[in-house]
Amino acid sequence: MSYEMIAILMFSSMMLMLLTGQRVFGAIGFVGAFAGLMLWGTGGADMPFSAAMKLMKWYPLLTLPMFIFMGYVLSESKIADDLYKMFHVWMGPVRGGLAIGTIGLMVLISAMNGLSVAGMAIGATIALPELLKRGYNKIMVTGVIQAGSSLGILVPPSVVLVLYAMIARQPVGQLWLAGVIPGLMMAVMFIIYIYVRCRMQPELGPVLPPEERNVPMAEKLRLLRAGLLPLVIFAVMMVPFVKGYTSLVESSAIGAMAAFVAAILKGRMTREVFETSVRQTLAISCMFMWIILAALGFGAIFDGLGAVKAIDHLFTDQLGLGPWAILILMQLSFILMGTFLDDTAMLVIVAPLYVPLVGNMGFDLVWYGVLYTITCQIAYMTPPFGYNLFLMRAMAPPEISIRDIYRSIVPFVLVMSFALAVVMVFPQVALWLPDYVYGK
């Protein structure tokens, strides 16, 4: 059997196992291990073993549990609730103000946690009932929460970019900094869209009634202080890193400790909050470590087969495609796979093929990591099986139907597609900040 046919057989077997509902790391790891055993006998066991050792020696991986713990402490201790109260009071007098505040909430939640699921859970449980109660259009606000929560995988500390860094062998710090400007740019685009739409159609986002707006200034300032606490924690964590005073791992430890101390000082660090935060941190960290381990083992088998060279030969020599055409096809394939897979599964499946190919074509792999992440955000919200669509359906109240959820994402997907095009055409949107910080 030719190497190309073996590679196709491995890929199709893995997809088949994923479609049966097997866990991602189990399906990928099993196919990789079985193929290694069949190709090289017992010597094939050295490949996943060396991948495991590589994983254990990867020092930046320590950031993963630190940031996840920080996010869960802030959400479980209800510090995130204070954020929404702040936005509620300060943005209420503006048409669509609560929806704009929800985007602000999502950006800050993303800066706490790095997972889109956390943003979706907080948005659906805290923001959505308040928005519906105050007469906001259900289709618009459903789209707002889905779009805002997708920022969690782009704004640092993005867990997905940590996974990409490990597989693509790129610096985590540069990838996080590369996600800052595109993530904030996308949030600003969402805010502009909401503001303009609500100015044109005031009934979509009415202002708060006077009795809710007339809050004493002392109370407004108290809420502002409470709501900005997560932003202060983020600054305490990231400023020393950007200035070069601390390493990435040290900054993650500072962030986790700052969140823990803040919860204690506010009297919210109960035994239940601590236990839940630790358990969730352990569960998610272990899940990602298993996925990375399976990806590295599978990628080593693919490298040994020369599958990357075969794909490169197919695209460039046989089909005669240029680098940009190949890149666009890759992004379209991510959107297609995103209709039935989550971001980690997509990355693990195609990274062994795509990342070396992108490097061979002369593109910057840090920039490509941002493109991949934005494309994942779009894929999350693309029918029929987008990841965020079903999360929203599970969390939304009964009056919001699946049809409403599908309709709600259309304008936000168009905004995100425009943002993707901007980053593709102007790579410095993503690369300026890491070049500036690391250049110093």
Side-chain angles (χ1 to χ4, degrees):
M1 187 180 290
S2 68
Y3 286 149
E4 289 84 355
M5 187 56 67
I6 295 171
I8 292 170
L9 184 62
M10 284 178 63
F11 192 82
S12 58
S13 300
M14 179 177 61
M15 293 297 293
L16 185 63
M17 287 193 68
L18 286 170
L19 290 173
T20 62
Q22 300 298 320
R23 293 185 181 274
V24 171
F25 74 85
I28 295 165
F30 172 76
V31 172
F34 184 77
L37 193 65
M38 291 294 100
L39 287 165
W40 294 291
T42 54
D46 291 341
M47 301 180 84
F49 179 76
S50 64
M53 291 301 101
K54 189 185 298 180
L55 178 65
M56 295 306 168
K57 292 176 183 176
W58 195 53
Y59 183 58
L61 194 66
L62 286 173
T63 60
L64 192 64
M66 298 289 187
F67 284 125
I68 293 171
F69 178 73
M70 180 182 75
Y72 272 105
V73 166
L74 291 171
S75 59
E76 293 295 325
S77 62
K78 306 299 182 186
I79 291 175
D81 293 17
D82 296 339
L83 275 171
Y84 195 69
K85 290 175 186 172
M86 179 193 76
F87 285 122
H88 178 270
V89 170
W90 283 88
M91 299 297 295
V94 180
R95 283 198 182 98
L98 288 188
I100 292 171
T102 301
I103 295 294
L105 172 72
M106 296 298 187
V107 171
L108 292 174
I109 294 297
S110 301
M112 296 179 202
N113 197 289
L115 294 167
S116 65
V117 178
M120 176 70 82
I122 291 171
T125 55
I126 298 174
L128 185 58
E130 294 291 325
L131 289 162
L132 293 175
K133 188 166 68 177
R134 285 165 177 79
Y136 274 67
N137 179 269
K138 64 178 182 178
I139 294 175
M140 187 184 77
V141 297
T142 304
V144 166
I145 290 169
Q146 291 182 86
S149 68
S150 70
L151 296 170
I153 62 172
L154 184 59
V155 176
S158 166
V159 174
V160 173
L161 286 176
V162 174
L163 181 62
Y164 175 85
M166 183 64 200
I167 295 174
R169 297 177 177 85
Q170 296 298 307
V172 179
Q174 289 193 32
L175 281 161
W176 276 356
L177 291 174
V180 170
I181 294 177
L184 294 178
M185 177 185 75
M186 203 177 299
V188 169
M189 287 179 177
F190 291 156
I191 289 170
I192 292 171
Y193 164 74
I194 294 166
Y195 180 76
V196 172
R197 183 89 188 272
C198 290
R199 291 288 294 182
M200 294 170 63
Q201 297 174 277
E203 70 278 5
L204 296 182
V207 297
L208 287 186
E211 59 271 17
E212 290 193 46
R213 294 206 309 268
N214 296 332
V215 177
M217 184 53 68
E219 177 66 10
K220 281 189 172 185
L221 292 175
R222 188 194 69 77
L223 286 171
L224 185 63
R225 285 196 303 273
L228 289 179
L229 179 60
L231 195 59
V232 172
I233 293 171
F234 184 69
V236 166
M237 172 185 69
M238 291 302 291
V239 169
F241 169 64
V242 172
K243 291 287 186 181
Y245 303 144
T246 60
S247 70
L248 191 63
V249 174
E250 290 165 346
S251 288
S252 69
I254 291 170
M257 185 55 67
F260 185 72
V261 170
I264 291 174
L265 293 177
K266 291 183 78 71
R268 300 180 184 179
M269 182 43 72
T270 63
R271 178 187 176 90
E272 184 183 358
V273 167
F274 180 74
E275 185 175 339
T276 302
S277 300
V278 171
R279 285 180 180 275
Q280 291 294 333
T281 300
L282 182 62
I284 292 178
S285 299
C286 290
M287 178 191 74
F288 271 96
M289 286 187 71
W290 276 112
I291 289 172
I292 294 170
L293 178 59
L296 291 174
F298 189 88
I301 304 295
F302 252 54
D303 286 344
L305 288 171
V308 175
K309 291 180 181 177
I311 296 291
D312 192 4
H313 173 70
L314 172 66
F315 280 147
T316 56
D317 296 340
Q318 295 187 15
L319 298 179
L321 299 176
W324 280 99
I326 296 172
L327 191 72
I328 291 169
L329 282 176
M330 288 178 178
Q331 304 311 103
L332 292 174
S333 72
F334 277 134
I335 293 175
L336 180 63
M337 284 188 288
T339 60
F340 59 92
L341 294 172
D342 65 18
D343 50 5
T344 51
M346 282 192 286
L347 182 59
V348 168
I349 289 168
V350 299
L353 289 172
Y354 284 6
V355 171
L357 186 57
V358 169
N360 292 342
M361 291 189 298
F363 292 117
D364 188 291
L365 289 178
V366 171
W367 169 71
Y368 182 69
V370 175
L371 291 188
Y372 156 76
T373 309
I374 296 174
T375 310
C376 280
Q377 291 174 294
I378 297 170
Y380 268 13
M381 296 166 57
T382 307
F385 305 115
Y387 195 58
N388 273 16
L389 301 175
F390 287 101
L391 280 175
M392 176 54 73
R393 187 68 204 94
M395 298 177 186
E399 64 263 28
I400 296 178
S401 66
I402 191 70
R403 185 168 177 269
D404 294 332
I405 293 171
Y406 281 177
R407 287 175 61 196
S408 71
I409 53 89
V410 173
F412 293 98
V413 166
L414 293 175
V415 170
M416 293 161 84
S417 301
F418 177 70
L420 175 65
V422 169
V423 177
M424 288 182 75
V425 175
F426 303 104
Q428 283 305 114
V429 172
L431 297 178
W432 176 81
L433 188 58
D435 287 348
Y436 173 74
V437 172
Y438 283 87
K440 290 196 301 181

